[in-house]
Amino acid sequence: MAAKGDSVLSVSAAIHPNVHSPEDVFRLFRGRRAGIVQALTEDVEEFYEQCDPDENALCLFGQPNGTWEVKLPIEDVPVELPEPVCGINFARDGTPKKVWLSMIAIHSDAWLMSMAFYHAGRVAFDRDDRELLFRMINTLPTVYEAVKESYEKQTQTLKASSKKKSSSQTLEEEDGTNASGGSEDQAMTECAACQETYSADDGHFWIGCDHCERWFHGRCVGMTPEKADEIERYMCPGCSYKSKQNKMKAPRQVCGDDS
């Protein structure tokens, strides 16, 4: 049977790895960051499922080996050890998914920095070492920037695939084929009005604005397939309002009397 002192030492070793230099701290930072980015981008659906609002307050942990884990806060560690934000799962269903992931990314950035400079303080880095550590960290995009870039790439890919789908839809209908299924990129699209995620199986009519290139449920903007067939270029309510405002602000030309 292991003595209590042995268990304390083993926990301490896990909390305080063999760190002696800014390069050591940066290696830990980079690994933890990679794990969190993985959770919020490539593994986002799995991460979403693990953040069950019916569970206790959960945290997202990035591990030095580049993996991630959703679990309860650690209780058997010194209180001064920084921990991720607790309770990320509670807001999962009450917040638009994009906003929810963005907030977790921001909190994760704060946790990563606090972990890095916790170790820097524990090793008593001097000013030059702290500056070197910060410069190395700053060579990487923040978690928030990485998540935002990933989302923008998915949106751009979706727009390209949507244009291709629109141009080929008539031919598919003439051939009697069913343009169902949708791509993985399409599954990431949200209605700009209600933020509901696109699904090829939801049975709803969707329409894209030809001005801002955002997508909407037909029901959210008062549009039906029959109305859409009569429109050459669709303008969403937001763009329509801006267009009217711009016309009202435009200076009117007053024709003078030549006589």
Side-chain angles (χ1 to χ4, degrees):
M1 180 176 179
K4 183 177 180 181
D6 293 337
S7 63
V8 172
L9 287 174
S10 62
V11 172
S12 178
I15 297 169
H16 305 300
N18 190 19
V19 175
H20 301 287
S21 67
E23 289 79 8
D24 294 334
V25 177
F26 178 64
R27 185 183 68 253
L28 298 175
F29 175 93
R30 184 172 54 193
R32 290 191 177 98
R33 174 192 170 278
I36 292 174
V37 171
Q38 178 85 9
L40 300 181
T41 55
E42 296 181 26
D43 298 344
V44 65
E45 295 305 323
E46 180 183 352
F47 169 70
Y48 185 84
E49 290 300 322
Q50 290 192 26
C51 291
D52 187 347
D54 294 331
E55 298 291 337
N56 293 323
L58 298 172
C59 297
L60 171 60
F61 289 86
Q63 306 298 348
N65 63 357
T67 60
W68 60 273
E69 187 176 8
V70 173
K71 60 182 181 180
L72 296 171
I74 300 174
E75 298 179 357
D76 300 330
V77 297
V79 292
E80 70 270 13
L81 185 68
E83 289 187 348
V85 62
C86 185
I88 57 174
N89 52 314
F90 293 150
R92 192 196 73 174
D93 295 341
T95 309
K97 190 174 182 180
K98 182 180 178 181
V99 176
W100 180 68
L101 291 172
S102 296
M103 289 305 301
I104 294 175
I106 292 170
H107 283 297
S108 296
D109 280 320
W111 176 66
L112 289 170
M113 291 297 289
S114 64
M115 284 292 289
F117 281 89
Y118 165 79
H119 288 301
R122 183 175 173 274
V123 181
F125 285 174
D126 60 20
R127 179 176 179 177
D128 292 338
D129 285 340
R130 293 194 304 272
E131 184 178 351
L132 174 59
L133 173 60
F134 183 78
R135 285 205 309 268
M136 288 190 291
I137 289 174
N138 212 32
T139 61
L140 299 174
T142 64
V143 174
Y144 173 76
E145 290 169 341
V147 172
K148 182 180 178 182
E149 180 182 3
S150 174
Y151 187 87
E152 289 175 347
K153 285 182 179 178
Q154 291 171 344
T155 302
Q156 290 171 358
T157 304
L158 171 63
K159 288 178 181 178
S161 63
S162 297
K163 290 179 179 178
K164 292 179 181 178
K165 180 179 178 181
S166 297
S167 63
S168 61
Q169 187 174 6
T170 304
L171 292 176
E172 291 176 351
E173 290 175 351
E174 289 176 355
D175 292 340
T177 56
N178 184 11
S180 63
S183 67
E184 293 180 1
D185 292 318
Q186 286 174 323
M188 295 301 294
T189 297
E190 294 177 346
C191 171
C194 69
Q195 281 78 50
E196 182 178 321
T197 304
Y198 172 86
S199 172
D201 302 320
D202 63 7
H204 298 309
F205 169 67
W206 287 67
I207 188 166
C209 177
D210 290 310
H211 295 264
C212 65
E213 298 186 342
R214 294 181 300 170
W215 287 85
F216 301 84
H217 284 120
R219 67 170 187 264
C220 292
V221 292
M223 183 60 60
T224 64
E226 292 75 21
K227 290 182 181 179
D229 288 340
E230 300 174 359
I231 300 174
E232 185 175 350
R233 289 177 60 83
Y234 173 68
M235 182 183 293
C236 71
C239 290
S240 179
Y241 175 78
K242 291 178 182 178
S243 177
K244 291 179 181 177
Q245 290 294 104
N246 291 335
K247 288 180 180 178
M248 291 175 62
K249 293 178 182 178
R252 295 182 179 179
Q253 185 175 357
V254 181
C255 297
D257 230 345
D258 294 336
S259 57

